[in-house]
Amino acid sequence: MQNSHHDVVIVGAGPVGLAAARMLGQLGHDVVVVERWPEPYPLPRAVHFDDEIGRVFQSMGLADEVKAVTEPVPDFYEWRNVAGEVLLRIDWSGTGPNGWPTANFFSQPELELVLADAIESMPNVRLVRGADVIDIEEYEERVVVHAGETQMVKTGQCIPPTRANRTFTARYAIGCDGANSFVRKRMSVEMDDQGFFFDWLIVDTIPTDDLQWSPMNWQLCDPVRPTTIVSGGPKRRRWEFMRLPDENPSELGTTETAWRLLAAWGRTPANTRLERHAMYTFAARWAARWNSGRLAIAGDAAHQMPPFAGQGMCSGLRDAANLTWKLDRVLRGVSESALLDTYTGERILHLQHAIAMSVELGKVICVLDPDEAAQRDARMIAGGADPANVLPVAARPVLGSGVSRSECALSGTLAPQFAVEVDRSPELLDTATGSGAVLLLASARPAEQVLGSSMWQQLAASEITAKTIAAKGEPDLRDFTGEWERWFLANAITAVMIRPDHYIYGTMSNIDGAAELVAGYTTCLRSGVTAVPAPGAA
């Protein structure tokens, strides 16, 4: 029986598992990814990510590679009724506050290939395919992961192992192994289910004609059959058809039914290749706890949600970004393991916002009663198809308590990534500041002058980069667009501490409070609990 020792074992080589491996590998850790499928899974699943997740790919050093396999949205996302009237219009064009296109579509196999190639090029990260985890032993100082060899059969099924023949020892294990997660079961974690279930037929196609789709992505809110029509990535299209109450799921999920439903949209074997069709049950649920001892879960292993807000994979990659920077500190011994306990509390609140929004959108879309649909249409048309008027109001997405400054309005929210100028060269913020925590100051002088030598040395010892931003003077970063000045002024702040995952720890209304901001952040990292706010916190 083979055995190997690592810092982290990641179970599952989907986008979340591969991203977590890349992030930890960049931080210098020895990582092995264990995947049960002997070959990369070849069919589409997730298709969308937003500008925040583009920023995550950028932090992995994969901006160009990811952009090469994605299709940014050039126009609006619309909901229409059966008469063609617009019920909702959301502008998905242009660049979001994270410096990436607002909405991006892709084919998951192509994205996974980018991520897999990236980690396989790293000397400290290894990807092991065809190894299905069947047992995990947890000890005080390590975990032992036992896996057995899987085999593929002609039907495309993966035959599970009958015994373990591979053993991986590590300090921590992360389960990115999907909705039926073995790691979650090993943690004995219950799921909090919201009782939202709808069956949909997902049909992925490759058009062979040159038909232009405008808008690129839209939703038919027809009570006869709600239908989603979106990009499936470059040169691909996806349809999603809701199962009606009197339909048999097994009959709806056939190739014949897929072609019958596509025919109503003018898609036939003459102009379309059917890539995949599958029945999915949309659900809304999350695990009550995402980490325990030396085990953690992320992605679908920790939560599932309806796809109406396009936040499934996005939420999983947020999990990976949140967990890995904390695990890095624990592995290096610069923070106690209690820091990892902030992972569940921070992410679960943010995740609940995404699920709540997805469910509320689903309640609007999945209306089958004609009278109720007519009332919905009248309300949304009267609201001018404006999301602010016609969509359910939800709280702003924010992290739960953890590495944050209490009573600070921006704590736990995502910092923007407006462009800056360095030596007359425009760059996005993260490129200009590098990885790790960043203290940004609104000042026309260099940060070292503003903070003083003592504070400057303290920042270096705390692994915090300090930069000043201003349009004029001699700042470290020049605000050549004015967006940073407007952001600082709008929030009445002059200092902001940004964590390695780009979320805000806290802010101060004056630069003189920067020392207290840094002290609170470093104390919080050591203790793993929310720091007490200092006077003057904004």
Side-chain angles (χ1 to χ4, degrees):
M1 177 179 291
Q2 294 179 313
N3 189 8
S4 56
H5 184 76
H6 309 272
D7 291 323
V8 182
V9 171
I10 296 174
V11 183
V16 177
L18 294 171
R22 174 71 174 180
M23 294 175 194
L24 288 168
Q26 286 177 300
L27 293 166
H29 301 294
D30 185 298
V31 182
V32 62
V33 183
V34 182
E35 167 58 44
R36 70 186 186 95
W37 286 90
E39 300 292 336
Y41 193 75
L43 299 177
R45 282 144 291 153
V47 294
H48 168 265
F49 67 83
D50 57 25
D51 60 308
E52 176 186 354
I53 301 309
R55 185 179 185 178
V56 173
F57 289 130
Q58 175 192 334
S59 72
M60 289 188 269
L62 300 175
D64 291 341
E65 293 84 348
V66 169
K67 287 179 179 179
V69 298
T70 58
E71 183 175 47
V73 176
D75 53 16
F76 295 87
Y77 170 48
E78 291 185 350
W79 294 8
R80 301 174 181 174
N81 63 13
V82 68
E85 297 170 298
V86 177
L87 308 180
L88 173 73
R89 179 178 285 120
I90 301 175
D91 188 356
W92 272 1
S93 65
T95 300
N98 289 284
W100 276 65
T102 301
N104 308 268
F105 282 78
F106 64 95
S107 175
Q108 186 167 331
E110 293 181 350
L111 179 63
E112 287 184 357
L113 179 60
V114 168
L115 294 171
D117 284 349
I119 68 167
E120 289 184 313
S121 70
M122 306 176 77
N124 54 326
V125 182
R126 186 158 60 101
L127 174 57
V128 178
R129 296 191 183 273
D132 195 9
V133 174
I134 61 176
D135 191 24
I136 299 176
E137 301 174 77
E138 186 178 7
Y139 299 95
E140 184 177 351
E141 298 294 333
R142 70 188 190 283
V143 292
V144 181
V145 178
H146 300 280
E149 184 177 356
T150 57
Q151 295 182 344
M152 292 285 292
V153 295
K154 291 182 179 180
T155 59
Q157 298 300 307
C158 185
I159 300 176
T162 56
R163 64 183 182 87
N165 58 5
R166 301 289 298 271
T167 299
F168 305 91
T169 304
R171 296 170 65 186
Y172 287 88
I174 306 173
C176 303
D177 48 342
N180 297 314
S181 170
F182 178 87
V183 179
R184 186 184 68 236
K185 294 172 184 175
R186 176 64 179 77
M187 290 168 58
S188 300
V189 177
E190 297 294 326
M191 297 292 285
D192 189 336
D193 202 309
Q194 302 301 290
F196 182 90
F197 297 101
F198 285 97
D199 292 334
W200 285 64
L201 172 64
I202 313 300
V203 182
D204 287 293
T205 70
I206 301 177
T208 56
D209 59 4
D210 57 359
L211 181 65
Q212 299 298 306
W213 300 87
S214 181
M216 180 187 289
N217 307 284
W218 66 287
Q219 177 74 47
L220 174 62
C221 299
D222 181 1
V224 173
R225 187 181 306 272
T227 304
T228 303
I229 310 97
V230 296
S231 168
K235 300 181 180 180
R236 287 176 164 83
R237 297 295 298 172
R238 167 174 286 184
W239 276 262
E240 300 176 358
F241 302 100
M242 182 176 168
R243 182 180 72 84
L244 305 178
D246 60 346
E247 290 182 315
N248 185 314
S250 61
E251 294 177 359
L252 184 64
T254 64
T255 302
E256 292 74 20
T257 300
W259 280 120
R260 175 173 60 81
L261 293 173
L262 287 174
W265 298 87
R267 312 314 296 176
T268 70
N271 59 23
T272 302
R273 181 158 68 87
L274 189 62
E275 188 173 25
R276 182 182 190 233
H277 60 92
M279 290 295 301
Y280 276 86
T281 299
F282 296 163
R285 54 195 172 203
W286 59 81
R289 188 174 72 257
W290 297 9
N291 67 291
S292 176
R294 294 186 174 272
L295 302 179
I297 52 176
D300 286 352
H303 47 76
Q304 297 100 56
M305 72 183 72
F308 303 116
Q311 290 298 305
M313 187 194 77
C314 294
S315 294
L317 290 171
R318 291 188 189 100
D319 299 342
N322 185 295
L323 176 60
T324 52
W325 77 268
K326 297 172 182 176
L327 185 55
D328 163 61
R329 293 187 62 90
V330 173
L331 288 168
R332 290 190 291 118
V334 295
S335 288
E336 298 295 326
S337 60
L339 179 63
L340 298 178
D341 293 333
T342 66
Y343 168 55
T344 294
E346 287 189 348
R347 283 294 305 133
I348 204 167
L349 183 66
H350 197 286
L351 182 277
Q352 287 170 354
H353 169 273
I355 287 185
M357 177 57 73
S358 297
V359 169
E360 291 303 314
L361 295 179
K363 289 178 179 177
V364 178
I365 291 169
C366 300
V367 174
L368 299 179
D369 181 84
D371 292 335
E372 184 181 349
Q375 294 174 11
R376 172 202 62 197
D377 295 357
R379 175 182 65 81
M380 298 182 79
I381 292 171
D386 184 345
N389 297 330
V390 304
L391 287 183
V393 177
R396 179 174 59 168
V398 63
L399 299 177
S401 61
V403 184
S404 58
R405 193 175 189 85
S406 300
E407 301 176 7
C408 174
L410 292 180
S411 291
T413 64
L414 188 65
Q417 191 192 200
F418 305 130
V420 294
E421 196 173 74
V422 182
D423 296 330
R424 299 184 179 182
S425 175
E427 295 179 351
L428 289 173
L429 176 71
D430 300 346
T431 303
T433 59
S435 60
V438 178
L439 175 66
L440 289 184
L441 307 169
S443 174
R445 295 186 296 148
E448 188 171 4
Q449 293 180 17
V450 172
L451 297 171
S453 59
S454 177
M455 184 65 182
W456 188 255
Q457 293 173 6
Q458 181 185 342
L459 288 172
S462 301
E463 302 178 345
I464 298 171
T465 297
K467 297 288 185 181
T468 54
I469 294 181
K472 299 178 181 179
E474 297 297 328
D476 301 308
L477 308 173
R478 191 167 301 280
D479 179 21
F480 69 99
T481 67
E483 289 180 292
W484 280 108
E485 181 181 14
R486 289 189 289 272
W487 184 78
F488 277 108
L489 288 173
N491 292 288
I493 61 174
T494 57
V496 55
M497 176 67 74
I498 304 174
R499 308 176 346 170
D501 59 356
H502 313 309
Y503 278 79
I504 294 174
Y505 160 75
T507 62
M508 296 295 286
S509 58
N510 58 81
I511 288 180
D512 292 340
E516 294 181 45
L517 194 62
V518 171
Y521 176 70
T522 54
T523 298
C524 200
L525 290 183
R526 288 195 297 269
S527 63
V529 298
T530 301
V532 177

